[in-house]
Amino acid sequence: QITLFIKEGNTWKPFKSLQRLLPVQMICVANLTVVQEKSAPLIKQFLGPQVPPTSFGIVTCRTRKSAILTRDQLISTVASLVDPSHKVDLKNPAVQVIIELFKSAVSLTVVHSYFSLSNFNVRSAIKQTETTPASKKPSPAPISTSIDAPVAQPSNAIADK
């Protein structure tokens, strides 16, 4: 739902001051055993043994105003829950894991389109959807160089009335 919200962002104008969305699928106390217990079902759902092998990456692990846990502790705890059939790919993962530690709370999210949606930066994602690459812009009609070819006249709907 969050990806749909951002992809169709050029249609909603009331959120002009919104800078970044942070989707949260799991939140818990900043304790390694609690993080492991609470994040296990979510990780198993997307990166468990029943899921076909894919690439994954823990793309962000931000810690803000907290000295309870370190970034490396969080990454190793969450990575230990992933089934070994899935391969790590930090440059272009199919499944991205986002971990946020703020004071005494840890949030975890598993998404499929983190990089393609500008890291959930709403303004950048909207700019990407509004600008069309030059290769996708319609090309102008070809100009005929033949003398016998009829010349297309531009139609003016206002002048015809």
Side-chain angles (χ1 to χ4, degrees):
Q1 294 171 345
I2 212 85
T3 56
L4 182 63
F5 183 72
I6 292 177
K7 284 180 182 176
E8 295 184 359
N10 57 356
T11 61
W12 48 268
K13 299 297 179 193
F15 300 103
K16 289 180 182 177
S17 62
L18 183 64
Q19 177 67 33
R20 183 179 303 271
L21 288 174
L22 178 64
V24 175
Q25 294 175 315
M26 184 279 306
I27 191 165
C28 67
V29 176
N31 181 334
L32 285 180
T33 56
V34 176
V35 169
Q36 192 167 16
E37 286 176 16
K38 298 287 186 178
S39 60
L42 184 62
I43 296 295
K44 296 259 188 279
Q45 178 184 353
F46 290 96
L47 297 166
Q50 76 282 3
V51 180
T54 186
S55 62
F56 80 97
I58 299 177
V59 293
T60 60
C61 183
R62 294 189 190 107
T63 58
R64 296 181 214 161
K65 298 183 181 183
S66 179
I68 298 172
L69 297 173
T70 65
R71 181 178 185 274
D72 294 334
Q73 288 174 321
L74 284 169
I75 290 174
S76 63
T77 301
V78 173
S80 68
L81 299 171
V82 177
D83 189 65
S85 65
H86 304 288
K87 302 297 177 203
V88 176
D89 181 5
L90 298 177
K91 293 189 182 216
N92 191 20
V95 177
Q96 297 95 19
V97 180
I98 304 166
I99 305 169
E100 298 272 343
L101 170 64
F102 183 73
K103 292 187 179 182
S104 63
V106 175
S107 71
L108 184 93
T109 308
V110 181
V111 294
H112 293 281
S113 54
Y114 184 70
F115 292 130
S116 65
L117 294 176
S118 303
N119 304 350
F120 293 126
N121 184 324
V122 178
R123 291 181 187 169
S124 296
I126 290 172
K127 285 179 185 175
Q128 282 182 354
T129 58
E130 287 177 350
T131 58
T132 308
S135 62
K136 293 188 176 183
K137 288 184 180 176
S139 58
I143 298 172
S144 176
T145 57
S146 172
I147 296 174
D148 296 332
V151 177
Q153 298 294 323
S155 66
N156 191 349
I158 297 173
D160 293 340
K161 289 183 179 181

